[in-house]
Amino acid sequence: MLNQVVMVGRLVSKPIVEENENGRKISEITLAVPRSFKNAEGIYDTDFIKCTLWNGIAETTCEYCKKGDVVGVKGRIQTSSYESNGEKKYSMDIIAEKVSFLSSKKADE
């Protein structure tokens, strides 16, 4: 079985690293990933995908990346569930296992 995600997109904001109650470093980033096809109006839609980075990956990404940089993320999908108003809800997150720094917005200008 295989649970693997690979995507390339632009960071929508400056990554920030935080420390959780267990002392682990964590950062949540959002990638803007354009779709490879046009919608009915002839425009390429963009998906905004949340990714969770842990420990060294979180620290390095926050140190070297800024809003608008293009990064590649290789990771896995992780599902979780929670109760909301007595109803069980599910969520999907991308857990990054590797982040590749592809280009800086400054280099593109």
Side-chain angles (χ1 to χ4, degrees):
M1 314 238 182
L2 182 65
N3 178 357
Q4 188 172 37
V5 174
V6 178
M7 64 185 129
V8 174
R10 288 195 183 272
L11 291 168
V12 300
S13 62
K14 167 80 174 122
I16 298 171
V17 68
E18 298 176 350
E19 193 170 310
N20 69 8
E21 62 276 357
N22 298 329
R24 295 181 70 197
K25 307 287 186 185
I26 185 171
S27 180
E28 288 188 350
I29 62 171
T30 301
L31 288 184
V33 182
R35 295 183 182 170
S36 61
F37 55 90
K38 295 180 181 179
N39 63 20
E41 290 82 38
I43 299 169
Y44 290 101
D45 287 325
T46 300
D47 293 305
F48 295 89
I49 302 170
K50 187 183 88 167
C51 303
T52 303
L53 289 60
W54 289 97
N55 299 317
I57 294 171
E59 291 177 312
T60 304
T61 302
C62 291
E63 182 177 346
Y64 292 104
C65 294
K66 63 187 176 309
K67 178 181 178 176
D69 286 354
V70 178
V71 297
V73 173
K74 176 182 169 278
R76 62 184 166 82
I77 296 174
Q78 179 173 295
T79 59
S80 57
S81 62
Y82 59 95
E83 292 277 333
S84 176
N85 298 328
E87 187 178 335
K88 194 168 190 174
K89 305 265 183 172
Y90 297 91
S91 68
M92 251 189 338
D93 296 308
I94 306 298
I95 307 300
E97 296 169 350
K98 180 176 182 174
V99 176
S100 299
F101 311 142
L102 301 176
S103 72
S104 173
K105 186 175 180 184
K106 187 175 186 179
D108 292 341
E109 295 178 340

